[in-house]
Amino acid sequence: MWQPLSAMQFFKPPRYIFENLEQAFAQQPEATVSRINETYEEQTIALFLVKGYKAGPTVWIQAALHGDEHDGIIACARLLTDISPEGLRGSLIVCPVTNPTAMLAGTNASPLDGVNLNRVFGQNVDPDSYSSRYGEWLADKITTHADFLIDLHGGGRWLDVCPFVMVASDHDEAFDRTLEALSQVPLTATLICRAEAKGMLINEVCQKGIPAVLLESGGGNRWSDVAVHMHLQAVHLILKQLGVYLTELQMKSDETLSTNSKPLRITEVAELRFKASGILTFSRQAGEVVRQGEELIRVLSYPELEEHSITCPIEQGVILSIHSASTVHVDGYAVMLGKLT
């Protein structure tokens, strides 16, 4: 019977501990789980290697590339507790907290430099910043050891997101394999991303021929059961489609976790920002389809105490993410719309 996550054990400590992934792959027995204490510039990056009972693809699953996105962290911990290595054909590398300094500070970016770790590839970012250096190290680890990347995200402290996926399309074969792996995952939308758009980790990895997806679910100051289960459902369906893990995950009711059976295909987005600081008084919901001129979000400005609205500027779109915190700031991120044709 399904139980709320709060009523379940979150994590079982592994039997084996190694200093790096190379050591773990060389020495860890089959059908076991280990912890790897990787170190980068005096920061500990906790990884877990789940070795299956036989050889197969290696899937890298990570969360908290942005430190204030919590649902994926709990999903990784739950996955490590639930997964049975005896049913695994291949290996999983699980990184519950990819950006530890940001997570411990409760911020999107690392307090060491304030740089968005998911924008450091091919962008105008100081290559000497901590996040740029760490990003290169992380991407190298993934491309050296993994055959598929699943990057779990959420809205963070300020945003709600609908369940959607960003797919890197920088390598034709990897792109096709990614779409095939996602074919059974119920999502609101699929956003096709190219390297020149944002400089994201998934694009950097995909350029090396490795399929990569960024899964969005959740948001706010606290993780939620539903968002965690959305992530877990997506991970298990991808692993099943890859032939890596065939055991079914026990989920909540289908009604709770259902979304569009055929996700909306998005190739362009419109990002909208606030024109005044103040208090949020009205907002639409992530996942809603909206039309041109419809009100999306409204703010009572301060000190003017005047209402300002943001309306849909495109003919038709789906709300992929929307600001949800009470306080808003001028030029702050308000809404991301996926353009529908």
Side-chain angles (χ1 to χ4, degrees):
M1 180 180 296
W2 178 86
Q3 292 179 292
L5 290 175
S6 57
M8 303 173 72
Q9 180 181 357
F10 272 102
F11 184 65
K12 299 175 182 177
R15 176 179 177 184
Y16 299 92
I17 299 177
F18 298 101
E19 294 181 357
N20 54 60
L21 276 169
E22 291 77 12
Q23 188 183 79
F25 272 107
Q27 300 180 20
Q28 183 177 330
E30 294 180 348
T32 62
V33 182
S34 71
R35 176 187 173 113
I36 300 101
N37 295 315
E38 288 275 3
T39 301
Y40 181 77
E41 294 189 9
E42 300 182 354
Q43 303 295 329
T44 298
I45 317 299
L47 303 173
F48 298 86
L49 176 61
V50 186
K51 262 193 178 181
Y53 73 100
K54 64 184 298 185
T58 297
V59 181
W60 184 293
I61 304 166
Q62 67 176 37
L65 192 66
H66 294 140
D68 61 347
E69 299 178 5
H70 310 123
D71 302 281
I73 300 172
I74 303 302
C76 285
R78 183 75 266 148
L79 178 68
L80 287 167
T81 299
D82 289 347
I83 202 81
S84 173
E86 294 81 5
L88 193 64
R89 300 174 183 176
S91 298
L92 306 182
I93 300 170
V94 182
C95 184
V97 181
T98 311
N99 197 346
T101 56
M103 189 278 290
L104 291 172
T107 53
N108 177 281
S110 171
L112 297 179
D113 57 15
V115 173
N116 185 338
L117 184 54
N118 207 30
R119 298 293 185 272
V120 298
F121 302 99
Q123 298 292 83
N124 296 321
V125 176
D126 180 3
D128 294 326
S129 70
Y130 168 80
S131 294
S132 292
R133 297 193 307 272
Y134 174 54
E136 289 185 11
W137 177 88
L138 175 66
D140 181 67
K141 285 288 181 183
I142 295 170
T143 55
T144 298
H145 295 284
D147 302 299
F148 199 103
L149 168 63
I150 302 175
D151 191 10
L152 303 179
H153 283 249
R157 291 182 298 165
W158 309 105
L159 299 173
D160 283 336
V161 298
C162 66
F164 75 98
V165 64
M166 298 185 185
V167 178
S169 59
D170 305 273
H171 186 286
D172 289 343
E173 182 180 349
F175 175 61
D176 291 341
R177 286 159 54 200
T178 302
L179 292 182
E180 182 179 355
L182 288 167
S183 61
Q184 301 302 312
V185 180
L187 297 160
T188 300
T190 299
L191 173 58
I192 310 302
C193 301
R194 303 192 183 279
E196 63 271 15
K198 291 179 179 290
M200 297 189 296
L201 175 63
I202 60 170
N203 296 103
E204 181 75 6
V205 169
C206 184
Q207 288 175 11
K208 306 295 175 59
I210 296 172
V213 300
L214 187 161
L215 287 163
E216 294 271 12
S217 182
N221 282 317
R222 295 185 62 182
W223 61 269
S224 72
D225 278 357
V226 172
V228 170
H229 277 283
M230 274 294 199
H231 276 322
L232 283 171
Q233 177 181 242
V235 168
H236 273 256
L237 289 172
I238 291 171
L239 295 179
K240 182 178 180 180
Q241 195 69 16
L242 293 173
V244 174
Y245 194 66
L246 302 180
T247 302
E248 295 292 338
L249 175 68
Q250 191 172 8
M251 302 297 298
K252 270 188 171 184
S253 68
D254 291 339
E255 180 180 357
T256 302
L257 296 176
S258 65
T259 55
N260 295 347
S261 57
K262 293 185 178 180
L264 301 167
R265 179 68 68 93
I266 307 295
T267 57
E268 293 184 68
V269 297
E271 295 185 352
L272 312 178
R273 294 185 175 272
F274 292 110
K275 296 182 179 179
S277 299
I279 298 295
L280 186 72
T281 60
F282 165 80
S283 69
R284 300 287 289 267
Q285 298 296 309
E288 287 187 72
V289 174
V290 293
R291 297 184 179 276
Q292 191 167 32
E294 291 183 354
E295 187 177 37
L296 304 175
I297 204 162
R298 188 188 314 148
V299 173
L300 181 65
S301 69
Y302 188 83
E304 299 84 2
L305 293 180
E306 297 175 349
E307 286 198 311
H308 297 262
S309 291
I310 296 177
T311 60
C312 178
I314 58 178
E315 185 175 343
Q316 188 178 29
V318 58
I319 300 174
L320 299 176
S321 64
I322 191 163
H323 188 96
S324 59
S326 294
T327 303
V328 308
H329 302 281
V330 64
D331 293 327
Y333 193 96
V335 184
M336 181 166 72
L337 295 172
K339 296 183 179 181
L340 301 177
T341 55

